[in-house]
Amino acid sequence: MSKKQTFEESLQELEAIVSKLENGDVPLEEALAEFQKGMILSKGLQKTLQEAEKTLVKVMQNDGTEVEMEN
């Protein structure tokens, strides 16, 4: 059973993929597979950041309701 990766683990894996691809010593088929995996990781990381941003712009009121913070 595989557990869901943390944000940090996914980011570290994405960085390793980028480094591997930048090195250029990867066969084309493997490079394409790694690129696709990296894109999936990137989209997941972006989604996590967007959700975190939405959470951070809300303030909990005394009555338990949330309101958006004003900029």
Side-chain angles (χ1 to χ4, degrees):
M1 178 182 212
S2 65
K3 70 175 184 81
K4 186 175 185 225
Q5 285 185 318
T6 65
F7 178 86
E8 291 78 9
E9 290 169 336
S10 293
L11 183 58
Q12 188 175 30
E13 185 175 358
L14 180 58
E15 289 172 344
I17 289 170
V18 169
S19 178
K20 188 177 190 180
L21 293 175
E22 285 180 343
N23 191 21
D25 294 335
V26 182
L28 179 60
E29 294 82 8
E30 185 180 343
L32 288 172
E34 290 293 318
F35 179 79
Q36 289 175 331
K37 186 176 181 181
M39 290 302 296
I40 291 168
L41 284 168
S42 176
K43 287 180 183 180
L45 290 166
Q46 185 176 23
K47 182 180 178 187
T48 300
L49 286 174
Q50 288 171 339
E51 290 171 1
E53 182 180 18
K54 287 178 187 176
T55 301
L56 290 174
V57 298
K58 293 182 180 180
V59 176
M60 187 69 69
Q61 300 296 301
N62 289 336
D63 64 0
T65 60
E66 292 180 345
V67 295
E68 300 249 346
M69 288 177 38
E70 294 180 23
N71 291 337

